[in-house]
Amino acid sequence: MHVDIRPARAADIPSVLELWRASAAPTATDSADALLGLLRRDPGALLVADAAGDIVGSVIAGWDGWRGSVYRLAVAAAHRRHGLGRRLLHQAERRLAEVGARRMHAIVVGEDARAMAFWRSTDWDHRPGQLRFTKG
Ligand SMILES: CC(C)(COP(=O)(O)OP(=O)(O)OC[C@H]1O[C@@H](n2cnc3c(N)ncnc32)[C@H](O)[C@@H]1OP(=O)(O)O)[C@@H](O)C(=O)NCCC(=O)NCCS
């Protein structure tokens, strides 16, 4: 089946939240309001994989003027291991390069063997010495 990767629209938000509920640990920013805010502030940051109208993948390619940040890379279970995660990441990288990002990072849960296997298969570098501090 052809899967198109395109910028998300407001109408996609419920499906994106559903995809995240099924594939990722919840975070405080998983809400329709937060996603609408993202679409307003940075249209094009949220990319979705659209399979004949079904949202089967997502990635956020965030640009703050300094670094590119990749968040919420997710592929629906039935569509995994067909290269869609790789395609989403490449589109995110392309978008970030286009807006001017020269350095990009992504947060990956170290205990998640599947996510680590995915990231290890990419040409991104793992930085074992770096820790993450969060608020909120
Ligand atoms: C991680 C995730 C996005 C990968 O999506 P995907 O479409 O299945 O990934 P791809 O098909 O592009 O896989 C690319 C490569 O990653 C590696 N890989 C992906 N999933 C893997 C798994 N379950 N086990 C081992 N290796 C895996 C393989 O090397 C694979 O290449 P191959 O299929 O040619 O062997 C998907 O499993 C997912 O949504 N997981 C839940 C959310 C998540 O953990 N996201 C990452 C947070 S940072």
Side-chain angles (χ1 to χ4, degrees):
M1 176 190 290
H2 176 72
V3 181
D4 184 35
I5 297 179
R6 60 166 176 80
R9 305 184 274 263
D12 299 318
I13 288 176
S15 307
V16 169
L17 289 170
E18 188 51 46
L19 171 71
W20 293 353
R21 265 191 291 276
S23 20
T27 70
T29 41
D30 291 353
S31 72
D33 278 352
L35 278 177
L36 272 175
L38 174 65
L39 295 188
R40 266 195 301 269
R41 186 185 181 282
D42 192 3
L46 173 60
L47 301 173
V48 290
D50 180 333
D54 287 336
I55 300 303
V56 298
S58 72
V59 66
I60 295 174
W63 169 237
D64 57 17
W66 179 247
R67 296 273 162 88
S69 306
V70 172
Y71 306 105
R72 284 314 202 210
L73 176 65
V75 171
H79 291 262
R80 288 179 190 158
R81 294 309 289 270
H82 295 294
L84 188 52
R86 198 182 286 129
R87 278 182 63 202
L88 281 159
L89 181 62
H90 285 165
Q91 289 287 347
E93 289 178 23
R94 204 159 88 177
R95 195 253 165 187
L96 289 170
E98 278 168 10
V99 295
R102 312 223 354 235
R103 192 166 167 80
M104 308 174 194
H105 64 91
I107 297 154
V108 184
V109 177
E111 294 82 43
D112 186 333
R114 187 177 49 205
M116 286 301 291
F118 172 83
W119 282 97
R120 287 208 163 101
S121 80
T122 71
D123 60 357
W124 287 49
D125 298 319
H126 177 212
R127 304 275 176 192
Q130 299 190 0
L131 294 175
R132 183 178 178 219
F133 289 75
T134 67
K135 188 169 178 178

